[in-house]
Amino acid sequence: RFDKAVIVVVDALRYDFAVPFEGGSGGKTRGQYHDQLGVLWETSVAEPARGFLRPFIADPPTTTLQRLKGLTTGSLPTLVEGGSNFAGTAIDEDNLIEQLNRAGKRIVHLGDDTWHALFPGSFDANLTRAYDSFNVWDLHTVDDGVTEHIFPLLEPEMRGQWDVIIGHYLGVDHAGHRYGPDHPAMGEKLREMDQVVGRMIDKLDDETLLVVLGDHGMDVKGDHGGESEDEVQAALWMYSKKGIFGRGNGIGLEPPRSAKERSVAQIDLVPTLALLLGLPIPFNNLGQPIEEAFVGAKGIDYGSLVEVGRLTAAQIQRYQGQYSEARKLDEDAASTTRPLWKAAIQQGQQVEATKKPSQGALKSAYDAFAAYQAENVRVCRHLWARFDILSMGMGIAVLVGSVALLAAYARAITGDRAAITPVLLGGGLAGLALGAAAGAAVGYLSSASIVQSTSFGAGLGGVIGISVGFWPARQELRIPYPRTFWGGLSFLTCLLLCIGFASNSFTIWEDEQLLFFLTTFGFLMLGSSLGQPDRDDRMLGTWNSVSFLAATRLASFSRLCREEQMPNCRSTYYASASSSTSAAWQLAIPIAIAIFLPSIIKYFFHRTKNYQGSAVIWIGIALRIGLFLVAGFWILDAADDGNWYPDLSKSLLKTTRVIIAQAVLALAFAAGYATYIFASPFLAVINEPAPTEALSSTSKSVDVDGGPSILTTINAKPTARPKLIILGYANTQGTRYLLLPLTWLLALLLLQKPMGQGTIALCFISILNLLEIVDANNLRRSALGPVVLALMGSYYYFKTGHQATLSSIQWESAFIPLSSVSYPWTPILVILNTFGAQILCAIAVPAIPLWKVKPTLPGLLDRVAGAVATHSLVYGGFAVATVIEAAWLRRHLMLYRIFMPRMLMSVAVLVIVEVVGVVGGMVGVRWSLGSVGEVFGWGE
């Protein structure tokens, strides 16, 4: 029906952005996004034969790459595909772009470069312009580029140069990510899109189809990736000056006011566009034609509907036949679709056999084909949610075995872990290699997947190899059950959390559960401290327990609510529930941190006389300067967001911020690590000379062999000697190592928004409190410290504006020190922002066994290894629990919304903590011990 098409993707175009606001409906108030993009609604009402507007429902995950795949192939995505959103590979399924190329159509692409990752080499090289898509702080570059190049192509003299134009605008999406939907920047971008579409209508000729669509919506904060209503509800508008569109079934001319009325699935666009452009329908399409595009201007052309329905249904039938054969599905899989197909074919044949079929007969035939298609989609959703139980069992077995070995290493060894570790590593690597070889052989000689068998063999071999490595030290092993009150409490807490992850409501409110457990630990540590016999220990433990409780409670006021918590939760992390920017008052937080945090840290060093040497330079000067630079960065960011200085260009503000951020990271990692590596222990040596007071003499009786005693004159006091006083001796090891977490602290604070900086600062203060509490109660060998740090890492994860959902990831953090996407730094920055609390707590773990111990105490590496392993064991337990529970609840309604994201988060955190704890912490400990050993020698 059309020779040409212009397809405009307005990324994150939520349906309510395109419909008029009805005051007071549903208790909603007017937002910045209301009534800004009116052209879609207005043309649909004023010219119903030329255009129509429909809610356009996306299948989760609502990430751009997965949505583009569905919009071009007509197939359904899977949750795990969400992970490929930032590393897309070419689509190897049949799709609209491939069909256009086969038909000899010239395709021009403008905008989001994700299209080129999916369809490399498919677009006209001379006219195509692709732009970086992930810089969410840039609202204008992509949109300006698309607009600049698309309108010249619509001029009459250029229409012979192309057949299909795809323009992908990103400004609305980026405005949502950066500011949230209810911000003036969103209104500005929507008005810009309104003008763009209006201009396109004016330029359009009769033979060109214009399509405007959103690939997904956005939640109240402007993020997406999940399956909430706001995230899946996009808009679709089709327009043609031919006047061939219509409304059937007595539907009014007015588009739906709500996305819950008369919605169409995004996969329905595929057969619709294919048929309108005269292309074959992509082979794996599951969508059905959109009724308005084929029912005719009068809304009665059911003959066309029957024809397009028959073509689409026949293609689906072919696909399902080959899919069933390839997957070796039994007859039951098609038990519900087969009779519908037969009924549809029968009614279609009756219509064809009738010379002038009635409208009722045509409508019945169309409804029969539509029913067949709908049932096919339902069946496919069920089939594609099938689970490979064997593979799941293999993965769970390896994970459980690995965590069991970690438990043995952390809590069962009574000897020196440092001595047995090389043996375990050697056994594990040997087992890994042998297991991989055995698995590959099994896969090669049998019908099993070689990748699956090799992976399982490697994992199982590694577990067996490490287990064999324990055999020589079997006399030094004991059953790792709790033997103290604190060990029992730590175990019980972790067990309750692991069990709780099987409940969707528990998982939804996990932050509140963690607050309860940390508060419980705080009060019990307070009680234990009050019971200490030594007055200094009693006062030290009590004061720090109170501080720990206060910091934990104060952090609880930072909150980012997930959709399932509404309306019983109020977000405070951003300026409002519908914003992604900080409130003006929150800018006081980084300023307060810059003023007070170095002084607080200095106090803990002063108590043990360790505020000496490099500690003065780093804490008193470098850290404070870095924190003021961090505060300056976020003030400039707020100035840019709020347009405080309209005379200054945004590029200047952005460049200044990037320079400041890079300076902070250089100070943290370059200067910080250099200081950490080369610093001497934080000591001061005072030479106290001997007193110069006058000497007095006295007499002493001296026995002489064989004769009477005689008297001799001696000094009344021993001769005074000079004294050598070492300030900082008591905590040499602890403070020397603590410089490493302090180095990371500066970088992690930069990458958090102001409210998150406040909670990270409170987290670090709580770490210092915990170190003092452990010392006052002499609990260095207990599981208390590492377990509480793990709970703190999880708790402060939520307090830094995150949830176990894709939509809570703060992608914009990747561009704090960068102007554009740069691998591998972009994903690393997002990881540091997302898991900053867990990283900080993991790096702090070695400080527990090192805090206030004798510098030459033997076995320190053993103690540190045990603490790090215990800390990792907590996250390992969470991973095992969430994996097993997700497998058990695989048919639960909330699997993909709650249990699966929490499982993925647990596994990701376990990997990150292992890397940080082993590579960062243990290597850092060796530097620290070496530095102290050079001064005091090594413990025997």
Side-chain angles (χ1 to χ4, degrees):
R1 291 192 177 193
F2 293 96
D3 297 329
K4 299 179 182 295
V6 177
I7 303 171
V8 177
V9 181
V10 181
D11 208 289
L13 179 61
R14 204 168 72 191
Y15 185 69
D16 59 342
F17 293 178
V19 301
F21 175 68
E22 292 182 314
S25 62
K28 292 184 178 180
T29 57
R30 180 182 295 275
Q32 297 284 347
Y33 54 86
H34 283 124
D35 297 330
Q36 305 298 331
L37 180 57
V39 64
L40 309 183
W41 175 278
E42 292 164 0
T43 53
S44 299
V45 174
E47 304 175 88
R50 290 187 168 188
F52 64 89
L53 174 66
R54 293 283 296 273
F56 200 40
I57 306 303
D59 290 296
T62 48
T63 48
T64 294
L65 185 144
Q66 284 65 44
R67 290 295 78 242
L68 295 184
K69 185 176 179 180
L71 287 167
T72 54
T73 65
S75 61
L76 301 174
T78 60
L79 179 71
V80 293
E81 286 181 337
S84 64
N85 190 51
F86 300 92
T89 56
I91 291 178
D92 55 7
E93 304 170 44
D94 192 10
N95 59 80
L96 280 175
I97 304 300
E98 183 177 352
Q99 292 295 345
L100 285 167
N101 277 296
R102 286 180 179 178
K105 302 290 187 181
R106 291 160 296 181
I107 313 172
V108 176
H109 167 260
L110 306 169
D112 187 343
D113 60 358
T114 305
W115 291 83
H116 291 261
L118 297 177
F119 311 104
S122 297
F123 306 110
D124 185 288
N126 296 321
L127 299 178
T128 291
R129 299 290 184 275
Y131 298 87
D132 175 24
S133 59
F134 292 134
N135 189 351
V136 296
W137 278 18
D138 185 352
L139 274 61
H140 305 293
T141 299
V142 177
D143 289 7
D144 291 347
V146 175
T147 300
E148 177 187 354
H149 292 94
I150 199 170
F151 283 103
L153 294 175
L154 297 180
E155 296 296 335
E157 60 272 17
M158 291 295 293
R159 287 176 185 162
Q161 303 298 312
W162 57 270
D163 295 297
V164 174
I165 299 175
I166 300 173
H168 193 143
Y169 287 87
L170 290 171
V172 171
D173 178 70
H174 289 185
H177 283 299
R178 183 173 179 183
Y179 303 109
D182 196 13
H183 188 276
M186 180 61 76
E188 178 183 344
K189 293 307 298 183
L190 291 173
R191 288 192 296 274
E192 178 185 336
M193 292 299 99
D194 187 77
Q195 295 171 2
V196 165
V197 175
R199 289 177 61 192
M200 287 182 179
I201 292 174
D202 294 337
K203 297 283 186 179
L204 210 64
D205 63 17
D206 291 348
E207 301 303 320
T208 303
L209 172 68
L210 175 60
V211 181
V212 177
L213 60 93
D215 55 342
H216 51 74
M218 63 177 67
D219 64 14
V220 293
K221 305 186 316 303
D223 297 319
H224 58 88
E227 57 178 318
S228 68
E229 289 185 352
D230 284 343
E231 291 172 90
V232 302
Q233 293 173 350
L236 170 68
W237 179 78
M238 301 183 76
Y239 183 86
S240 165
K241 290 185 176 179
K242 280 187 176 182
I244 61 171
F245 299 142
R247 315 289 187 272
N249 290 328
I251 297 172
L253 299 181
E254 185 176 280
R257 293 259 176 189
S258 166
K260 296 180 180 180
E261 306 170 22
R262 294 173 46 222
S263 60
V264 296
Q266 289 196 349
I267 57 175
D268 295 346
L269 180 67
V270 173
T272 303
L273 282 181
L275 293 167
L276 289 175
L277 294 174
L279 302 171
I281 299 172
F283 175 69
N284 42 297
N285 164 71
L286 295 173
Q288 66 176 326
I290 298 172
E291 183 176 309
E292 283 90 336
F294 302 97
V295 75
K298 296 181 179 180
I300 58 174
D301 190 0
Y302 283 97
S304 293
L305 286 176
V306 170
E307 180 62 17
V308 297
R310 183 187 62 79
L311 290 171
T312 305
Q315 169 269 320
I316 293 174
Q317 175 68 8
R318 288 193 300 273
Y319 170 69
Q320 291 293 46
Q322 293 196 22
Y323 179 82
S324 299
E325 182 180 348
R327 292 290 183 175
K328 297 179 173 58
L329 302 179
D330 54 35
E331 293 293 322
D332 292 339
S335 61
T336 58
T337 59
R338 190 181 299 108
L340 290 175
W341 169 247
K342 290 180 179 178
I345 288 296
Q346 184 179 4
Q347 292 197 43
Q349 290 173 345
Q350 290 176 356
V351 166
E352 289 181 358
T354 306
K355 198 168 188 179
K356 288 187 178 180
S358 65
Q359 288 291 96
L362 290 169
K363 186 177 182 305
S364 295
Y366 166 68
D367 290 341
F369 286 119
Y372 168 74
Q373 183 275 339
E375 178 61 16
N376 256 294
V377 172
R378 188 197 67 78
V379 169
C380 286
R381 289 185 192 278
H382 176 76
L383 289 175
W384 292 352
R386 297 172 70 189
F387 298 91
D388 188 339
I389 303 300
L390 177 61
S391 296
M392 292 166 62
M394 289 178 175
I396 290 173
V398 172
L399 181 61
V400 170
S402 302
V403 174
L405 291 175
L406 181 61
Y409 184 81
R411 310 306 303 171
I413 298 176
T414 58
D416 187 359
R417 291 178 184 83
I420 195 177
T421 298
V423 178
L424 297 178
L425 288 176
L429 291 174
L432 187 76
L434 292 174
V442 171
Y444 180 77
L445 298 173
S446 68
S447 59
S449 167
I450 191 170
V451 174
Q452 183 186 54
S453 60
T454 303
S455 302
F456 179 66
L460 184 62
V463 170
I464 294 174
I466 294 175
S467 301
V468 172
F470 273 112
W471 182 253
R474 59 190 179 279
Q475 300 299 326
E476 298 179 355
L477 299 179
R478 64 180 182 179
I479 299 174
Y481 63 84
R483 290 174 169 81
T484 64
F485 168 77
W486 293 109
L489 179 64
S490 299
F491 174 77
L492 179 62
T493 300
C494 295
L495 179 63
L496 291 174
L497 281 168
C498 290
I499 295 172
F501 290 133
S503 165
N504 58 328
S505 57
F506 184 98
T507 305
I508 289 169
W509 292 97
E510 183 182 351
D511 55 338
E512 297 299 320
Q513 321 301 331
L514 290 166
L515 173 61
F516 168 78
F517 285 122
L518 285 174
T519 304
T520 300
F521 272 103
F523 276 110
L524 290 174
M525 290 187 297
L526 175 60
S528 177
S529 299
L530 288 171
Q532 294 300 308
D534 183 82
R535 181 180 179 277
D536 290 340
D537 286 342
R538 185 166 61 249
M539 293 299 295
L540 181 66
T542 300
W543 182 89
N544 280 281
S545 296
V546 172
S547 176
F548 179 89
L549 286 166
T552 302
R553 186 60 187 172
L554 186 59
S556 70
F557 292 103
S558 174
R559 189 181 302 112
L560 179 70
C561 303
R562 57 188 294 164
E563 183 189 16
E564 296 86 357
Q565 292 177 325
M566 298 298 186
N568 301 311
C569 180
R570 180 175 174 271
S571 293
T572 60
Y573 189 78
Y574 295 109
S576 68
S578 60
S579 174
S580 292
T581 58
S582 300
W585 69 267
Q586 292 174 338
L587 294 176
I589 296 175
I591 297 174
I593 290 173
I595 295 172
F596 296 111
L597 185 59
S599 300
I600 294 172
I601 298 171
K602 177 181 174 182
Y603 165 78
F604 284 89
F605 278 68
H606 257 310
R607 287 197 73 261
T608 53
K609 309 298 183 183
N610 289 104
Y611 192 65
Q612 315 288 346
S614 298
V616 177
I617 297 172
W618 182 255
I619 299 172
I621 301 175
L623 180 62
R624 195 180 294 276
I625 291 174
L627 291 176
F628 273 110
L629 288 175
V630 171
F633 173 92
W634 287 102
I635 290 172
L636 287 177
D637 180 71
D640 189 6
D641 289 347
N643 199 26
W644 295 353
Y645 305 104
D647 294 336
L648 292 178
S649 68
K650 289 188 176 293
S651 61
L652 175 62
L653 290 173
K654 173 62 178 176
T655 301
T656 305
R657 293 201 309 272
V658 168
I659 292 173
I660 292 174
Q662 291 176 349
V664 172
L665 291 178
L667 181 63
F669 289 125
Y673 262 92
T675 303
Y676 182 77
I677 291 172
F678 297 108
S680 299
F682 306 143
L683 304 170
V685 179
I686 299 177
N687 289 299
E688 186 177 286
T692 57
E693 59 188 43
L695 299 176
S696 59
S697 62
T698 186
S699 298
K700 177 181 178 182
S701 174
V702 179
D703 294 330
V704 179
D705 294 340
S709 299
I710 61 175
L711 298 175
T712 183
T713 300
I714 61 172
N715 292 330
K717 298 180 180 179
T719 303
R721 297 180 180 180
K723 293 182 179 179
L724 188 67
I725 302 174
I726 301 177
L727 301 180
Y729 178 87
N731 199 16
T732 303
Q733 294 282 13
T735 53
R736 177 62 181 83
Y737 176 77
L738 198 65
L739 185 61
L740 183 60
L742 281 172
T743 297
W744 280 82
L745 175 65
L746 179 59
L748 295 175
L749 284 170
L750 170 70
L751 298 175
Q752 300 293 335
K753 294 193 175 183
M755 200 70 168
Q757 292 177 44
T759 57
I760 288 291
L762 290 171
C763 178
F764 194 79
I765 293 171
S766 296
I767 290 172
L768 296 173
N769 295 146
L770 182 63
L771 294 175
E772 295 287 18
I773 294 168
V774 168
D775 168 63
N777 291 271
N778 193 24
L779 296 171
R780 293 181 188 85
R781 303 299 294 269
S782 168
L784 172 69
V787 170
V788 171
L789 281 177
L791 297 179
M792 287 170 55
S794 296
Y795 175 69
Y796 283 98
Y797 166 85
F798 293 103
K799 300 299 115 181
T800 52
H802 298 96
Q803 288 283 350
T805 59
L806 284 173
S807 60
S808 70
I809 298 175
Q810 298 169 21
W811 303 111
E812 64 272 22
S813 60
F815 303 98
I816 289 176
L818 299 174
S819 298
S820 60
V821 175
S822 176
Y823 292 100
W825 308 116
T826 295
I828 288 175
L829 291 168
V830 174
I831 290 172
L832 292 178
N833 167 272
T834 305
F835 302 109
Q838 289 99 331
I839 291 171
L840 181 62
C841 290
I843 294 176
V845 170
I848 293 173
L850 297 176
W851 196 254
K852 294 184 181 178
V853 298
K854 184 180 177 181
T856 56
L857 182 71
L860 283 178
L861 269 179
D862 167 65
R863 295 189 180 192
V864 171
V868 171
T870 301
H871 184 77
S872 299
L873 180 60
V874 177
Y875 291 115
F878 292 168
V880 168
T882 53
V883 168
I884 292 176
E885 287 156 358
W888 181 259
L889 299 169
R890 60 187 179 275
R891 292 298 179 187
H892 195 284
L893 183 64
M894 292 294 177
L895 174 66
Y896 296 109
R897 192 163 187 166
I898 295 175
F899 298 115
M900 187 70 75
R902 186 60 183 86
M903 182 204 74
L904 296 175
M905 172 189 159
S906 296
V907 174
V909 170
L910 176 61
V911 173
I912 291 169
V913 167
E914 291 281 4
V915 171
V916 170
V918 174
V919 178
M922 294 302 295
V923 173
V925 166
R926 287 191 172 273
W927 279 106
S928 174
L929 293 180
S931 172
V932 176
E934 289 177 356
V935 177
F936 294 103
W938 302 90
E940 297 296 332

